[in-house]
Amino acid sequence: MSVIGYVLIIIGALFYALGGLGIFRMPDVYNRLQAGTKATTLGAISLILGVGFLHPSWLVKTILIVIFLAITNPVGSSAIGRAAYLIGVKPAKVVVDEMEDKYKRGDENGDN
């Protein structure tokens, strides 16, 4: 069990490092948000499960934390991305902006 725990901790640390690199290298807030959220979600899940395997008495608690993270991280990142869009932050390269017409009409809920 301890080998699995240490491997998961190393995998989590690698995901965190790759997430930091992605935040550094990406051109705009939307790409940075995507790179950071995906990497930190997987990094946190791996680290927390690794701790759960190293301390089996904590495994149930760590699984609950992982479930909470899997639900809240994507919701938080989409809220940040939507807020960035609403204040006028434009992506680095836009071919078609499907959201522009919806927000120009004032139809924030997507209803026609």
Side-chain angles (χ1 to χ4, degrees), residues 81-94:
R82 184 172 187 266
Y85 184 82
L86 289 177
I87 64 170
V89 177
K90 295 291 181 189
K93 296 179 183 178
V94 176

Side-chain angles (χ1 to χ4, degrees), residues 28-44:
D28 63 358
V29 68
Y30 303 106
N31 287 323
R32 290 177 184 161
L33 186 63
Q34 187 269 342
T37 301
K38 302 275 186 209
T40 57
T41 300
L42 292 173

Side-chain angles (χ1 to χ4, degrees), residues 11 18 45 52 54 56 65 76 78-79 82 90 98 112:
I11 290 171
L18 291 173
I45 287 172
L54 287 176
I65 293 170
S78 65
R82 184 172 187 266
K90 295 291 181 189
E98 295 175 0
N112 290 331

